Amino acid sequence: MTHPFLDLAPLSAARFAAIEDRVARLLGTGQDVVIMQGEALLPLEGAIRGVAGPGTTALNVITGPYGQTFGNWLRDCGATVVDLAVPFHTAVTADQVRDAFAEHPKIDFVSLVHAEAATGNTNPVAEIGEVVRERGALFYLDAVASVGAEPVLPDPWGVDLCVIGAQKAMGGPAGVSAVSVSERAWARMAANPGAPRRSYLSLLDWKERWTDGGRTALPHAPAQLEMLALEACVERIETVGLETVMARHASAAASTRAGALALGGGLEPYVYEAREAAPVATTLRVPAGVVASELVTRALTTDPTLPLAAGGGALAKEMIRVNHYGPDATAEAVSAALTALGTALEEKGLRVDTEAARRAVEANWG
């Protein structure tokens, strides 16, 4: 049985390396970039397990569910973990990070999520990076949701491990991901007896078998179709321009916030301050007496392809996510999502103005 995809010639090491180089240029980094053959959870976990161990004191910033996951991995590695949790409707501040260092001077590792698509907030990485750099700690950043939606600059921000995925704002595949690794991070891994080796989680395996060897022979068969999709995704961003892609996401976020307020019906932004709201997705709080998951289910009956979802876990009762990223970072997608939510709210007897919402979206689209 033949198929154009199945009959492609094997992906060469040279082409694989060229895709890594394009990702590095997207991040503006001179660090090593390793493209991992799996969804972003692979390098997120692999990086933590590579550098953390019983001698690690980690400051784990929690502004959403992924921060909680990172803390679990760190504890599993034997690290001493200091959790810095802030309400999900806000962002952490550099001063809070500085205070944590003052209270726990042994901190030598900081884990942070840049943008939390699940809760709709984004954190001031540049300011936090200055604090982390002052204290000499290793800085680990989850930029999976932020890359393509807002600036991600590992080198000037002092990020030692920056993990990205293409499936959100980049509008690419979910089956591959990447991590930029500083020389300090490589050294920490090499000195860590608990770092994964001969494992799918191992970044050191990639370094020794791929990067240090001049990237001439792949250590195993790559996920070819996903790699080609990533290449096409990066090429599209290069052609359009990263600034243009980010501007589209910023417009989507501003339009969604303004449109939701104009719509009425009790909807309001979940993240209070616009400057702390992530451009990749906007979260909305539903009015009292309305269950968010039920409202989303009803809204999706008009069009199941709308970029709407209820919050995860306990947030499913109070939060709606408008996932205006990638191909859905358009005024049309935002207007359609708000119109569907307005129809669902009307059915519950709440007063809305879908035309006002549409006008607000248009007025706030940059």
Side-chain angles (χ1 to χ4, degrees):
M1 185 175 181
T2 63
H3 190 280
F5 286 154
L6 299 179
D7 296 336
L8 289 171
L11 191 72
S12 68
R15 191 166 184 182
F16 192 106
I19 298 170
E20 283 187 335
D21 291 342
R22 293 175 87 162
V23 172
R25 286 196 295 271
L26 180 73
L27 295 174
T29 183
Q31 299 177 1
D32 290 330
V33 168
V34 179
I35 297 181
M36 303 290 281
Q37 304 298 282
E39 199 271 337
L41 281 173
L42 175 63
L44 285 169
E45 182 174 358
I48 281 181
R49 294 192 181 277
V51 299
T56 303
T57 300
L59 174 63
N60 180 50
V61 181
I62 302 175
T63 57
Y66 278 101
Q68 295 169 330
T69 297
F70 300 160
N72 293 337
W73 287 338
L74 286 161
R75 291 182 177 87
D76 191 52
C77 292
T80 300
V81 181
V82 177
D83 284 327
L84 171 55
V86 302
F88 289 175
H89 59 72
T90 188
V92 72
T93 67
D95 284 341
Q96 288 173 308
V97 173
R98 185 176 285 107
D99 290 345
F101 271 108
E103 188 174 350
H104 305 277
K106 291 185 177 180
I107 290 170
D108 60 0
F109 177 86
V110 176
S111 52
L112 174 72
V113 177
H114 186 183
E116 287 269 12
T119 50
N121 54 38
T122 191
N123 292 302
V125 183
E127 297 171 19
I128 292 168
E130 288 184 14
V131 177
V132 177
R133 190 162 49 243
E134 289 169 4
R135 305 305 293 258
L138 212 65
F139 193 12
Y140 162 102
L141 183 69
D142 172 356
V144 174
S146 55
V147 65
E150 56 188 304
V152 176
L153 303 168
D155 293 7
W157 292 349
V159 178
D160 296 285
L161 293 156
C162 182
V163 178
I164 67 167
Q167 70 267 33
K168 287 190 168 64
M170 289 177 65
V176 289
S177 48
V179 54
S180 64
V181 188
S182 72
E183 289 299 325
R184 293 200 318 150
W186 282 133
R188 181 81 69 94
M189 285 185 221
N192 180 13
R197 303 302 300 268
R198 295 168 295 281
S199 164
Y200 208 56
L201 285 169
S202 177
L203 283 168
L204 282 174
D205 286 356
W206 275 96
K207 175 175 170 55
E208 294 176 1
R209 298 177 60 193
W210 171 245
T211 308
D212 289 351
R215 302 188 298 175
T216 58
L218 286 163
H220 56 72
Q224 172 148 319
L225 298 183
E226 287 79 3
M227 287 296 295
L228 294 176
L230 176 61
E231 181 183 48
C233 165
V234 175
E235 182 174 352
R236 182 173 59 194
I237 293 173
E238 291 171 345
T239 300
V240 175
L242 180 58
E243 292 295 329
T244 299
V245 176
M246 292 191 295
R248 191 169 69 238
H249 284 83
S251 290
S255 296
T256 303
R257 288 178 71 88
L261 290 171
L263 178 67
L267 281 185
E268 59 184 29
Y270 189 85
V271 177
Y272 296 166
E273 301 292 337
R275 61 184 173 80
E276 295 178 343
V280 69
T282 297
T283 47
L284 302 172
R285 192 183 303 274
V286 297
V290 174
V291 177
S293 58
E294 295 175 358
L295 194 70
V296 168
T297 297
R298 181 66 191 91
L300 289 176
T301 61
T302 64
D303 182 356
T305 68
L306 291 172
L308 291 171
L315 295 175
K317 293 182 179 180
E318 64 182 24
M319 178 196 288
I320 293 170
R321 289 168 46 194
V322 184
N323 295 319
H324 45 66
Y325 53 71
D328 287 318
T330 66
E332 293 76 17
V334 170
S335 289
L338 292 175
T339 297
L341 289 173
T343 299
L345 286 166
E346 271 188 321
E347 291 179 356
K348 292 187 173 294
L350 295 166
R351 190 173 180 178
V352 299
D353 188 339
T354 55
E355 181 58 27
R358 184 192 63 77
R359 290 195 302 269
V361 169
E362 292 181 354
N364 285 271
W365 194 268

